[in-house]
Amino acid sequence: MKMYFIAVLFLGILTATTQSCKKGDDGAPGTNGTNGTNGTNGTNGTDGYGAVTAADQAAYDAADGTIGARLYDHPLNEINYLPTAVMSDKSHSNFFRCKSCHGWDLRGRNGVLINKGPSTTYPMAADVDLYSWARKHSIREVFDAVKNEGGREKSTNQSYTSNMPYWGEILTDSQIWQLVKFLKETSHNTDDFYDLTTSGAYPNGTKTFSNIGKGGNAANGLTVYNAKCKSCHGADGKSIDIYCENLFMGKMFRTNAHEVQHKAVWGMPIDREHVVDGCLSGDYAMPQQTLTDQEIRDMMVAGQDTIQFPN
Ligand code: HEC
Ligand code: HEC
């Protein structure tokens, strides 16, 4: 027994010595880590504000964050509520789109909206990072904030200010829960898809995208694109002229990565305004897709190829 112990010890020292004399070759570079998981819900306030009831939790659990994503894009299109006041000048619908005030990246004026100043047809960007705000607050607090009781009135009394609408007047509670689910869980951390560098201050700041697709695989991206997008958007990405503005998929991949990370997977509601103005023929929505975050990154990298996906 003792001998055995000594022998094992000796062997151990021998191995250790051998290893320390000879430096092995460098290992291959590691692969990218997986994305972090979403934060946990904030704790409830002690004063009862933001306290979550069992009914709240049940409504939240039943909600579908991918519908929330489409509501976030264009609530009025998604619920097919387009009053004449809005339709008479379609650009006014931006005063009702979450993304117009909060950005595709949810970061408001400190994110992609940093250079998008207000105009008569476009609201001022909100000064809040909704992505982290929603993850830090309880589902009840987020619900109340989205509902925004007493906020700007709906379109019958139009003023088109940059104040947030009173969504409780336009959306049902269950639609608001879909939005809460989107904000708290479904929405992407856009840092997982590209890097955004900003300088200066809203609305005169500048922004630069880099690292679009974050090390994704172009060959796999093309395979995914061909399997899931080509039938509608075409092999070169030019079959659908988005907004009838000669805006095709290649350009979207290269300049609108913030929008692609959203629409590639959650699609978009019927573009009712463009159906009315004849830009699109028929009720033509983009359906949701089944895609992993990695597949989106892969497609983003494939989409940088201007030969495959011309402007
Ligand atoms: C016309 C502009 C506008 C639209 C459209 C809009 N918001 Fe807002 N929202 C704001 C402003 C402004 C604030 C206040 C931000 C601040 O505290 O500075 C705000 C605040 C919020 C807050 C609370 C954040 C906080 O810090 O208290 C949530 C949640 C929110 N919005 C969600 C939404 C959702 C979801 C939609 C779409 C259904 C939406 N907003 C549409 C302008 C808008
Ligand atoms: C069933 C047909 C269909 C499929 C499949 C499809 N799309 Fe779309 N896509 C559309 C339609 C329709 C539009 C809306 C054009 C509009 O309303 O202006 C659109 C719009 C878009 C937009 C831009 C929206 C905008 O407003 O700027 C992006 C980005 C997009 N699709 C990406 C993709 C990607 C990536 C895939 C594959 C994962 C895909 N689509 C699959 C039909 C489709």
Side-chain angles (χ1 to χ4, degrees), residues 95 97-98 101-102 126 128 130 133 152 162-164 167 179:
F95 288 86
R97 297 179 71 179
C98 315
C101 296
H102 293 289
V128 56
L130 268 192
W133 188 90
R152 207 180 88 216
S162 296
N163 295 336
M164 174 142 134
W167 288 112
L179 279 160

Side-chain angles (χ1 to χ4, degrees), residues 246-290:
N246 291 325
L247 179 52
F248 301 107
M249 280 307 297
K251 204 167 180 186
M252 289 294 294
F253 280 128
R254 291 185 286 277
T255 60
N256 287 21
H258 54 304
E259 194 168 342
V260 171
Q261 57 81 25
H262 184 112
K263 289 183 169 170
V265 56
W266 301 309
M268 58 185 287
I270 291 172
D271 190 339
R272 298 179 199 277
E273 297 143 81
H274 278 152
V275 169
V276 166
D277 73 11
C279 167
L280 288 173
S281 51
D283 281 359
Y284 205 18
M286 168 153 160
Q288 285 182 38
Q289 305 293 312
T290 311

Side-chain angles (χ1 to χ4, degrees), residues 89-284:
D89 179 353
K90 67 181 160 83
S91 43
H92 278 149
S93 66
N94 279 313
F95 288 86
F96 291 90
R97 297 179 71 179
C98 315
K99 74 94 193 170
S100 299
C101 296
H102 293 289
W104 289 115
D105 57 3
L106 279 62
R107 292 181 188 166
R109 64 175 67 174
N110 301 307
V112 291
L113 292 175
I114 191 163
N115 58 349
K116 181 84 183 168
S119 70
T120 51
T121 57
Y122 213 89
M124 196 184 293
D127 192 9
V128 56
D129 180 343
L130 268 192
Y131 181 82
S132 49
W133 188 90
R135 277 164 173 77
K136 279 191 295 225
H137 288 79
S138 77
I139 55 174
R140 169 46 62 179
E141 285 170 298
V142 180
F143 180 92
D144 289 342
V146 174
K147 189 160 186 168
N148 195 28
E149 190 145 5
R152 207 180 88 216
E153 286 182 11
K154 70 180 174 189
S155 53
T156 40
N157 176 20
Q158 252 342 311
S159 52
Y160 302 123
T161 74
S162 296
N163 295 336
M164 174 142 134
Y166 173 13
W167 288 112
E169 232 182 2
I170 298 170
L171 303 174
T172 64
D173 278 8
S174 79
Q175 286 162 339
I176 293 173
W177 281 116
Q178 326 267 34
L179 279 160
V180 175
K181 187 80 157 249
F182 169 72
L183 294 178
K184 281 196 73 70
E185 270 186 56
T186 314
S187 52
H188 291 148
N189 179 350
T190 51
D191 292 343
D192 293 341
F193 296 88
Y194 57 79
D195 290 325
L196 179 74
T197 316
T198 59
S199 68
Y202 179 81
N204 300 314
T206 56
K207 65 170 185 246
T208 317
F209 294 101
S210 57
N211 212 0
I212 294 171
K214 290 253 162 145
N217 179 294
N220 189 50
L222 191 57
T223 307
V224 173
Y225 179 89
N226 286 340
K228 300 191 173 170
C229 323
K230 191 173 106 177
S231 60
C232 293
H233 287 281
D236 61 357
K238 293 184 84 165
S239 293
I240 295 176
D241 184 356
I242 297 151
Y243 305 135
C244 305
E245 286 172 0
N246 291 325
L247 179 52
F248 301 107
M249 280 307 297
K251 204 167 180 186
M252 289 294 294
F253 280 128
R254 291 185 286 277
T255 60
N256 287 21
H258 54 304
E259 194 168 342
V260 171
Q261 57 81 25
H262 184 112
K263 289 183 169 170
V265 56
W266 301 309
M268 58 185 287
I270 291 172
D271 190 339
R272 298 179 199 277
E273 297 143 81
H274 278 152
V275 169
V276 166
D277 73 11
C279 167
L280 288 173
S281 51
D283 281 359
Y284 205 18

